[in-house]
Amino acid sequence: MTNRTLYLIACAAPPSRRLTVPIRAAQQAGWDVCTILTPSAYRWASEDAEGEIEALQQLTGHPVRHEYKLPSQEDVLPAPDALLVAPLTSNTVNKWAAGISDTLALGLITEGIGLQLPIVALPHWNNAQDAHPAITRSVQTLRDAGVTVLLGEDAFVPHPPRHGNLDAYPWQAAIKALPASS
Ligand SMILES: Cc1cc2nc3c(=O)[nH]c(=O)nc-3n(C[C@H](O)[C@H](O)[C@H](O)COP(=O)(O)O)c2cc1C
């Protein structure tokens, strides 16, 4: 069976330090996983002396990308069949809904809507960030555009500032929301 390709696109929120969890779960569900980090998430992962980036590359068999290639460079990843944006930050949700594409991660997820790719987004932000009116508007804009945003009951529920629980982050809900294999 040829695996379908999933792009796991991670922003700079604490769950981005545990990407082996969703990668392994998606692989078990039959996905060939490629990892894309926002520039901030890449900076976080890069400071890990234990080689977090190398470990992700080894686990997926693909380079970890975080910036646009040059026009002269070849694509190094297979084309995606679906996108999983997790963790999704408040910064990226608002830029995404506004159609901004100044990073590779945003370029993929803004274009992904127009390409009608299945897109699942699992937020991670606190309830103070969640109270900003832009967040409600952005989540609604993305849902109207067909993105599955896993915010609310049975998905991600924003926590009080500095009270996040990484162990409770619902990775499994995101994997379950991906399209089933044909
Ligand atoms: C320790 C730390 C934890 C953070 N946690 C979150 C978070 O859970 N959710 C969030 O939306 N932003 C969080 N931020 C802020 C983002 O990292 C920041 O807005 C960044 O610009 C996001 O960039 P990106 O969306 O391109 O990844 C955190 C920042 C720091 C330093």
Side-chain angles (χ1 to χ4, degrees):
M1 189 187 97
T2 310
N3 281 356
R4 299 159 303 153
T5 299
L6 176 71
Y7 280 13
L8 171 62
I9 297 166
C11 308
S16 71
R17 311 306 302 278
R18 297 202 175 174
L19 295 183
T20 56
V21 175
I23 290 171
R24 288 207 172 91
Q27 288 172 333
Q28 274 179 10
W31 294 97
D32 178 22
V33 183
C34 300
T35 316
I36 291 94
L37 305 178
T38 64
S40 297
Y42 185 80
R43 204 162 66 90
W44 288 18
S46 300
E47 81 161 5
D48 182 355
E50 285 169 30
E52 199 167 315
I53 301 286
E54 291 72 16
L56 293 174
Q57 290 181 165
Q58 209 158 33
L59 182 60
T60 61
H62 296 287
V64 172
R65 294 203 50 202
H66 69 286
E67 60 186 5
Y68 281 113
K69 68 183 182 66
L70 291 170
S72 59
Q73 292 174 325
E74 296 292 320
D75 281 333
V76 292
L77 301 180
D81 297 296
L83 309 178
L84 170 56
V85 192
L88 170 65
T89 53
S90 59
N91 174 61
T92 290
V93 77
N94 290 325
K95 291 173 85 173
W96 185 9
I100 294 169
S101 56
D102 62 350
T103 65
L104 174 62
L106 281 163
L108 291 166
I109 60 181
T110 51
E111 195 175 54
I113 289 176
L115 291 171
Q116 300 190 328
L117 288 171
I119 309 178
V120 174
L122 182 60
H124 189 281
W125 52 66
N126 65 43
N127 57 15
Q129 292 172 302
D130 189 65
H132 193 289
I135 292 278
T136 309
R137 283 197 302 269
S138 295
V139 168
Q140 193 56 52
T141 297
L142 293 169
R143 284 180 171 155
D144 290 347
V147 177
T148 301
V149 183
L150 298 174
L151 180 67
E153 291 221 356
D154 299 327
F156 176 75
V157 178
H159 47 269
R162 288 174 293 284
H163 284 81
N165 176 3
L166 270 187
D167 292 331
Y169 190 59
W171 289 114
Q172 280 306 330
I175 301 299
K176 232 173 108 182
L178 293 170
S181 46
S182 42

